[in-house]
Amino acid sequence: NAQSSDNSEPNHNFQVGVRFMPTFTALDLNTSSGGTVKGDVTLGFGAGALIGVYLSEHIGIQGEFIYSTLSQEYNDVDVSRKIKLTYFNVPLLFTLNSGKSKVINLKLVAGPQIGFNLKSSININDNGNNTSEAIVDVKKSDFGFAYGAGADIALNKKHTILLSLGYRGVLGLLDIGNSSKSSTSDNYYVLERTNINTNAAYIGLTFPM
């Protein structure tokens, strides 16, 4: 009986973890002439924590709390601008697993994500050529669809420490721009009719309980 107990597979139904998430994003931005320009794909950073529960060997639910910064650079009439957005995101994900008790557990995730804007700013390098003011005004909340794939790799025999690696994408479903304030001929909203779509890699540690 002792030998059978030692060889049994771990049966952890809960997990917590931490993650680091380099994030890439590209936004459609408005120009001073009324046109649209695609911002350069720019690297941002995210970090957060997760809480998960396994409903079976192959099915689970996972909630995350992610602090992320998104940057975007673009040129408009010889004026260089850089936009920075900071968000606190909360995805709630349904997970499909190849086997949570295995040494390597492959997983697919998908579910809704709500985001809360913490800060937005714009830096301008105009070299004296700035003829109109670019306004960055963002709605307080955002909503999107998160999806991804990854792997949890057991680092010890009891499977109480896992190395987590993977990909995460988010498809923004709402216009983040807040253009409710009045504007004049000397200014314009940069983020009007703009959705946030991101692609991220992640690495972290997960602790089954």
Side-chain angles (χ1 to χ4, degrees), residues 15-22 46-50 62 64 107 150-155 160-168 201-208:
Q15 62 179 1
V16 296
V18 292
R19 285 183 177 171
F20 174 67
M21 301 180 70
L50 67 88
Q62 181 172 297
E64 300 178 0
K107 61 196 311 181
D152 290 335
I153 305 169
L155 299 181
T160 56
I161 304 176
L162 309 177
L163 174 65
S164 297
L165 304 170
Y167 162 80
R168 176 68 53 78
Y202 68 80
I203 182 172
L205 292 175
T206 302
F207 305 96

Side-chain angles (χ1 to χ4, degrees), residues 47 83 92 104 114 131 137 157 182:
I83 297 170
L92 179 61
I104 299 179
I114 185 170
T131 59
D137 198 358
K157 185 176 181 179
S182 60

